[in-house]
Amino acid sequence: QVQMVESGGGSVEAGGSLRLSCVASRVIYCMAWFRQAPGRERERLAFISGDKVTSYGDSVKGRFTISRDNAKNTLYLQMDSLKPEDTAMYYCAAQPSLYCSGGYSYWGQGTQVTVSS
């Protein structure tokens, strides 16, 4: 079992930045960020593999940056140029697959991000 705890959410004006963090209870290869807004499906924003290969969804490409510090078992999401449509609950997730080829078994509790216009 892996426990994951997010932090760093909050309220910000459009065009602003936030940095989310997610601490895992142990080393796990593939980590990702998801979000879900009310009435919308959960959306995968980005993932980073065990060898630090990254991939981004179209809605955040060029604005968000995923990174990890393996020494601290910590995942980050730097969010820049935020838009009101980025408002959602943000979740970190993880899976034991080295190359992120499976399903996400472990989830954090979520952190709210609200972007005002």
Side-chain angles (χ1 to χ4, degrees), residues 91-110:
Y91 300 90
C92 62
Q95 58 170 288
S97 168
L98 178 61
Y99 300 114
C100 300
S101 57
Y104 290 90
S105 307
Y106 310 109
W107 293 84
Q109 82 288 351

Side-chain angles (χ1 to χ4, degrees), residues 28-72:
I28 188 156
Y29 289 131
C30 174
M31 303 181 80
W33 287 101
F34 289 76
R35 70 184 178 191
Q36 188 166 23
R40 301 190 66 177
E41 292 188 356
R42 187 172 59 196
E43 175 188 12
R44 188 176 68 182
L45 305 177
F47 69 81
I48 183 166
S49 67
D51 54 357
K52 297 189 176 181
V53 173
T54 60
S55 178
Y56 295 91
D58 289 341
S59 63
V60 302
K61 196 174 297 183
R63 298 189 299 123
F64 291 10
T65 303
I66 191 171
S67 62
R68 65 191 297 165
D69 183 337
N70 289 336
K72 298 180 179 179

Side-chain angles (χ1 to χ4, degrees), residues 21 23-24 47 61 76 117:
S21 299
V23 179
F47 69 81
K61 196 174 297 183
Y76 302 101
S117 57

